Amino acid sequence: MKSAVETLNPTRVRLTVEVPFEELKDSLDAAYKKINQQVTVKGFRKGKIPARVIDQRFGRGAVLEEAVNDALPKFYTDAVNEAELNPLGQPEVDITELKDGETLNFTAEVDIRPAIEIPDYSGIEVEVDAVEVEDKDIDESVEQLRERFSSTTPVERAAEDGDVVTVDLEAKVEGEVVEDGVAEGVSYTIGSGELLEGIDDAVKGLEAGGEATFTSELKGGSAAGKTAEVTVKVTQVAARELPELDDDFAQLASEFDTLEELRADSRKRLENMKQYDQATQAQERVLEKLLELVEVPVPEKLLEDEINTRKHNLEHHQLGQMGLDLDKYLEIQGKTAEEFDTETKEAAVKGIKTQFVLDELVNKEKLNVSQEELTEHLMRRAASSGMQPDEFAQAIVQNNQVPLLVGEVARGKALAVVVEAATVKDTKGEVVDLSDDDEDETAETVTAETPEAAEADAEDKAEDKTEA
């Protein structure tokens, strides 16, 4: 076999392959054997039909077609390996010449990973938010904890802001009760915004037994997105009572003996959260700077496929689960179809570039993924997906996604190398030390940028924005 490579552009090549006919012998033998098992010829036992009889009865062309289809993947792979290419996706194969007994010639066009030069990234500098925890932040945190330990007492008066009301609901669209539009005994805190828009104004001022009607757009269910006439009946009004902020509350709500200790722990927790947010911000901004330094051509076919995949996943999976279509989703987002297309393309381009650059860094820095690192990452991914680790691992293995998980961890380690080499300062001008941050947490940040994680990332964003 002889092969040659023609570079069509930085991300696509054409392979020209010439195969001497004798190299098709094994595939021809396999073709005759396969046809032998599939056909019946009078006078011959099944599987014992001579090749000449098969040629006469079914045509030599059918045998050649079967043999070529069997042999092409191997010859293509050999040509790719010989040229030391990194193909992306399936090739477009064209048989240019097939002469029985003489030669098989074909071409194969395929996208390839572009050659990328990673420049010196040690000079990257980024600015991140400073870690600041103010007294009002601690007050808010303690107040949220206080609300969790609140109690309610039924009252015989009109409902007010902050009260917990028990209500029955009935939703009608165009005069007809919605199939899943009836609910009884629903507990709702006035002012929480957790139910339907307009319900606060409807129930405020009502006593137990009171009833009101209002219009609202349904957020979920069979009539999601439609405007409904909602009847709400209050069956109970209860006042919320918050515990006193004292040492007794600290002992009730935590492992601490005093309110001062509880507040100190809240400060520490808030600082840890802000430090994590700061580290994530640093990773994202360093990645942005890194991508600006590297010239990364994006294969057109790969980009087209990635855009289509992102759109398909959003329309047919995430939005479908929320009872929305794309038009309604865009309306909620306040975007035009053109803006959506532009944003989707930009996200796809960034995801592809991120993967290319970080994969090249993995090779350049000779980074490996240990079993312990892979297990830790799997545990994190399982937790974020709401699945048990064993269940998640089984799904990963069954779907042959272990290499994808390994790639995520490796890219996370590559970005961690760049972050460590960069200069990160906060808004106060102080240098931020990120050396103790978990590399697997970095992998979580990187994952959201890459094509493999586009589906999960799109789902999270869709849910966040539609619920807002």
Side-chain angles (χ1 to χ4, degrees), residues 356-385:
F356 284 171
V357 170
L358 295 182
D359 283 348
E360 184 62 28
L361 267 169
V362 169
N363 295 329
K364 180 180 179 180
E365 302 293 344
K366 297 180 172 59
L367 302 175
N368 296 311
V369 176
S370 68
Q371 183 61 49
E372 182 181 0
E373 290 169 332
L374 182 60
T375 300
E376 289 178 358
H377 184 60
L378 186 148
M379 298 284 283
R380 291 176 183 271
R381 287 293 301 274
S384 65
S385 68

Side-chain angles (χ1 to χ4, degrees), residues 298-312:
V298 176
E300 293 183 7
K301 184 65 168 58
L302 180 63
L303 177 58
E304 180 184 344
D305 290 344
E306 179 62 21
I307 291 172
N308 290 337
T309 297
R310 288 174 181 250
K311 287 183 176 180
H312 178 84

Side-chain angles (χ1 to χ4, degrees), residues 374-446:
L374 182 60
T375 300
E376 289 178 358
H377 184 60
L378 186 148
M379 298 284 283
R380 291 176 183 271
R381 287 293 301 274
S384 65
S385 68
M387 298 172 66
Q388 292 297 319
D390 290 346
E391 181 185 3
F392 183 80
Q394 185 177 8
I396 289 293
V397 172
Q398 289 177 345
N399 293 311
N400 298 317
Q401 291 183 331
V402 173
L404 297 183
L405 229 60
V406 173
E408 290 175 3
V409 179
R411 284 188 284 274
K413 295 181 70 171
L415 180 55
V417 169
V418 183
V419 171
E420 186 176 351
T423 299
V424 181
K425 293 183 179 181
D426 64 21
T427 49
K428 293 182 176 180
E430 298 291 330
V431 175
V432 179
D433 182 11
L434 300 172
S435 57
D436 292 333
D437 288 314
D438 192 333
E439 287 178 348
D440 200 56
E441 291 179 1
T442 307
E444 295 293 336
T445 301
V446 179

Side-chain angles (χ1 to χ4, degrees), residues 243-254 256-259:
E244 291 294 328
L245 278 177
D246 53 22
D247 292 346
D248 288 340
F249 168 69
Q251 294 168 22
L252 170 69
S254 70
F256 302 106
D257 293 327
T258 67
L259 182 61

Side-chain angles (χ1 to χ4, degrees), residues 282-291 354 358 415 449:
Q283 293 157 11
E284 292 172 348
R285 293 183 179 180
V286 167
L287 178 60
E288 293 281 357
K289 291 284 188 180
L290 178 63
L291 294 180
T354 296
L358 295 182
L415 180 55
E449 301 291 349

Side-chain angles (χ1 to χ4, degrees), residues 6 10 68 70 78 123 139 146 149 158 167 207 260 278 280 293 304 321 334 343 365 410 416 420 430 467:
E6 176 187 358
V68 169
D70 174 73
D78 289 345
D139 292 341
R146 187 183 177 205
F149 284 85
V167 298
E207 298 183 17
E260 183 179 350
Q278 185 187 63
T280 301
L293 292 176
E304 180 184 344
Q321 292 175 0
E343 290 182 4
E365 302 293 344
E420 186 176 351
E430 298 291 330
E467 290 175 0

